[in-house]
Amino acid sequence: MVFDLFALLSWTAVTPTSLRAIAFGFAGFLAPLLMSGSVSAQAAGFGKAEEVGYQNAQDGTRLSAFLTLPPGSGPHPGVLVLSIAGTTPLVERLVQDGYAVLIPERRGFVAVEPMLRATFSDLANDVHAALAFMDSRPEIDGAAIGLVAQADDTPPGMLASVASGGTTPLVLLAPFAFSGVETFRRDQRWAAERNGVGPGGLEALDEYVQRIAETVLNESEVYLRRYRLESVRAASSVELPRNAAFPSDERQMDFFASPLWHDRLAFEPDAVFARIRAPVLVLIGADDANTPMDEYLGAVRRSLSASPTPDATVCRIPGRTRHVFTEAGVEGISDWLGTRLASSDEVDAGVSVPLSGCLEDSAEDR
């Protein structure tokens, strides 16, 4: 069973009291999921796992993570993995390959309101803090660290890469390809179509989504955002489809008014892709739901073609890449990172080493 931050938040009203209640209620259940990769790697004899802590130097937030080290004193190459999916298959493979693997907990795991208050800039700084921690460990080679980010964790990973201007190899699984507003619209429309909503209802839904997005992006104060969003909801003849990503009742506008959701809607992936200097691999699963593959691949490739990176690969693989690490995905990540982290001279020379296992584009993709 896979949980997402937004699904977790949808189960409660977005208030300090209720957020604390839901956080503590589910902490014991979700903790094994977050640490599953490290614990299973240790149990299988692949390495040594430990819970570690460090600090976001920008805002002082204390952060925690699970670090798994392979056998030997090192220094080992390292991989930072940003995901709340079951990471066991990826961690086991990377540790077997000799990598030290760090899996951070998202801020707000125990008290969720800090996550709602966090901006994408805050989350990108959390990524910087995790990388700095890895660099500080004597068992890890600070000159050979890669970053893997999945789905909703890709924006902070991308923004951290751009802000640093560095060359840390970057693996993105199912990253955003369209603007935050367009992604929101597509997600709601897809859910409505699946529920049998007709053309007229879909058009009204598109208009409602647009009004929500405009209100969120045009109002800078959270409390005013919340007030205006309530007016938008009261005046609408339609509702958003029932969705695990956010509440479906009066709590809904508390959620959309948060800084986190503001930055999600404001995110423009094409502009961020175009500024990436690091080697980058984008993986998208052929079976990922609600992905118009021809548009998706075209958008990512166009964005990367404008970037200064000499090493960009977009790869469509069998199965899924959202909220899961499949055999094909793990294999692709391991092969690609192995080449980039072991062959820095090739990367520096602008040589893009191809990745095997990618599916051919379908006719409509070309």
Side-chain angles (χ1 to χ4, degrees), residues 147 188 190 256 273 291 301 335:
L147 171 60
Q188 302 317 301
W190 177 72
F256 291 144
F273 270 123
T291 302
R301 286 173 175 150
D335 288 352

Side-chain angles (χ1 to χ4, degrees), residues 109-172:
F109 174 63
V110 174
V112 184
E113 59 266 38
M115 186 67 184
L116 276 179
R117 292 198 300 265
T119 65
F120 274 10
S121 178
D122 294 330
L123 300 181
N125 286 331
D126 288 351
V127 176
H128 288 303
L131 291 170
F133 169 80
M134 295 183 77
D135 188 41
S136 73
R137 293 284 296 224
E139 310 96 323
I140 300 176
D141 181 357
I145 297 176
L147 171 60
V148 176
Q150 185 180 52
D152 287 332
D153 288 295
T154 56
M158 294 165 65
L159 290 168
S161 178
V162 167
S164 69
T167 57
T168 298
L170 183 63
V171 179
L172 303 170

Side-chain angles (χ1 to χ4, degrees), residues 146-327:
L147 171 60
V148 176
Q150 185 180 52
D152 287 332
D153 288 295
T154 56
M158 294 165 65
L159 290 168
S161 178
V162 167
S164 69
T167 57
T168 298
L170 183 63
V171 179
L172 303 170
L173 289 88
F176 290 26
F178 312 109
S179 72
V181 173
E182 179 62 10
T183 298
F184 181 39
R185 186 193 71 81
R186 286 172 180 264
D187 286 346
Q188 302 317 301
R189 190 179 182 93
W190 177 72
E193 287 176 338
R194 188 177 56 179
N195 292 338
V197 176
L202 293 175
E203 183 177 350
L205 178 63
D206 283 347
E207 293 175 359
Y208 182 39
V209 165
Q210 187 62 37
R211 288 197 297 274
I212 290 174
E214 289 175 352
T215 302
V216 170
L217 296 177
N218 291 335
E219 182 52 68
S220 59
E221 297 292 337
V222 172
Y223 76 96
L224 286 177
R225 218 182 282 158
R226 172 68 170 78
Y227 173 77
R228 299 191 194 288
L229 282 168
E230 279 298 338
S231 298
V232 169
R233 188 168 190 258
S236 176
S237 61
V238 299
E239 293 185 355
L240 298 178
R242 186 169 294 276
N243 194 310
F246 43 77
S248 297
D249 53 24
E250 67 278 357
R251 301 167 295 172
Q252 192 175 87
M253 296 308 159
D254 289 313
F255 187 77
F256 291 144
S258 70
L260 179 67
W261 193 259
H262 172 275
D263 282 10
R264 182 180 171 91
L265 285 174
F267 188 65
E268 297 288 347
D270 54 345
V272 182
F273 270 123
R275 296 168 58 201
I276 290 176
R277 296 182 176 276
V280 58
L281 168 66
V282 173
L283 292 178
I284 186 67
D287 297 334
D288 279 325
N290 194 25
T291 302
M293 202 58 65
D294 55 339
E295 294 179 70
Y296 184 95
L297 292 171
V300 173
R301 286 173 175 150
R302 283 191 301 273
S303 298
L304 284 173
S305 69
S307 76
T309 180
D311 183 1
T313 303
V314 181
C315 179
R316 188 167 67 101
I317 61 173
R320 294 166 47 220
T321 54
R322 287 188 175 92
H323 311 308
V324 68
F325 289 97
T326 64
E327 182 178 350

